[in-house]
Amino acid sequence: MQCKVGVVIPNYKSPIEYVSTAISSSINQSYKPDKICIVDDNSGEEYIKELSTIISDNVEIELINHNENRGPSACRNTGIKALWNHVDYFCVLDSDDMLSFNNIEECVKSITEDPINIGAIYADYETLHVKDDLRYREYYHPFDYMVMKKRFVGNGALFLSKKALETSGLYDEDMRTAEDYDLCYRIINSNFVILHIPKSLRTIRVHDNNSTNTVSMEIWNKNWMKIRQRYVK
């Protein structure tokens, strides 16, 4: 039986051409997603009108607009909940990033080798530095829980099992940064494994509006401290 996969794309005022590329990269997968859900975090009426014009008819795409700005975790949760009854796995894709052609295929192939125990997957990726138009390959280590107590081993570009989320819960909506780190801890603590694929499976744009540049260090530190208090004994 073929696994059903949904792509969740949270968005807040990303350039329309970036969102369009994210959608295209999701549609043109070697393993086709069953549904795509774009969740806009109240970017404004005119923006939504423009965004609506790029929705493709190739696969079923749902566009949800928050009535107020609720943050990236809430966007991801809204998308996951909208797809919950239709898919088995969730591919989370930021609206300014792109999936490699074989992203979903590689993730499905890996996670179905042990669907009972694997709760999430992350992979290597390329960064595209917008200002200089330069690309760099980012390599990650295999998941290691002991190392994770000191720093985040994986990344936020996650492929998530519904079975794991049923136990761990969804993203913490009070966290606007490091929410992926927090979710990975809860998945591990729910007795699931997090798997690393040593292949570049997406492109992540680096630009001035990344959360690294727009969210204050005070908020970052607050969320890191929250994680340490919750999980690091």
Side-chain angles (χ1 to χ4, degrees):
M1 181 176 170
Q2 188 174 16
C3 296
K4 293 186 176 181
V5 178
V7 180
V8 177
I9 305 178
N11 176 65
Y12 179 64
K13 293 185 177 179
S14 283
I16 292 296
E17 61 268 26
Y18 288 3
V19 186
S20 179
T21 306
I23 293 171
S24 296
S25 75
S26 301
I27 292 172
N28 298 317
Q29 288 289 299
S30 56
Y31 188 109
K32 302 297 183 185
D34 293 84
K35 288 180 178 291
I36 298 172
C37 184
I38 305 168
V39 183
D40 186 81
D41 207 21
N42 196 29
S43 297
E45 185 176 343
E46 291 303 315
Y47 182 94
I48 289 297
K49 285 181 181 178
E50 188 174 3
L51 181 59
S52 299
T53 64
I54 66 170
I55 301 300
S56 170
D57 294 329
N58 292 7
V59 295
E60 187 174 350
I61 300 177
E62 182 177 4
L63 173 60
I64 299 174
N65 181 31
H66 282 170
N67 293 324
E68 59 181 2
N69 186 269
R70 296 170 52 194
S73 292
C75 282
R76 294 186 182 102
N77 287 348
T78 296
I80 289 171
K81 290 173 183 176
L83 300 180
W84 190 266
N85 293 327
H86 306 285
V87 302
D88 308 301
Y89 299 99
F90 306 92
C91 176
V92 181
L93 174 65
D94 287 347
S95 60
D96 52 354
D97 297 336
M98 297 165 279
L99 297 178
S100 300
F101 171 72
N102 61 335
N103 182 293
I104 294 177
E105 179 182 2
E106 290 288 343
C107 289
V108 167
K109 183 167 62 177
S110 294
I111 209 165
T112 52
E113 290 180 359
D114 190 359
I116 294 176
N117 294 308
I118 299 174
I121 289 177
Y122 67 98
D124 299 343
Y125 57 75
E126 289 186 351
T127 54
L128 171 58
H129 293 254
V130 174
K131 283 185 177 179
D132 305 317
D133 196 29
L134 296 175
R135 287 179 177 266
Y136 298 94
R137 169 72 182 270
E138 301 286 342
Y139 293 88
Y140 280 80
H141 294 287
F143 188 84
D144 187 317
Y145 184 74
M146 297 308 295
V147 174
M148 185 171 169
K149 289 186 175 183
K150 300 177 182 178
R151 59 179 173 82
F152 191 19
V153 180
N155 56 59
L158 296 172
F159 188 87
L160 299 165
S161 160
K162 181 166 71 173
K163 185 181 293 291
L165 295 179
E166 285 175 337
T167 306
S168 69
L170 305 185
Y171 289 92
D172 183 339
E173 297 188 9
D174 291 329
M175 301 179 72
R176 286 181 175 251
T177 61
E179 68 280 357
D180 39 19
Y181 192 8
D182 175 79
L183 178 59
C184 284
Y185 255 118
R186 284 187 279 114
I187 289 173
I188 288 294
N189 289 343
S190 299
N191 296 318
F192 288 91
V193 174
I194 295 178
L195 181 70
H196 167 247
I197 298 178
K199 297 179 181 180
S200 179
L201 293 182
R202 69 176 69 197
T203 298
I204 293 182
R205 284 188 174 91
V206 177
H207 51 81
D208 291 340
N209 291 324
N210 290 129
S211 61
T212 306
N213 300 318
T214 59
V215 179
S216 71
M217 188 55 64
E218 180 183 0
I219 293 176
W220 277 99
N221 289 336
K222 177 183 176 182
N223 287 336
W224 288 121
M225 184 59 65
K226 180 185 288 189
I227 288 170
R228 292 194 65 82
Q229 290 172 345
R230 283 177 174 176
Y231 309 113
V232 182
K233 307 299 182 183

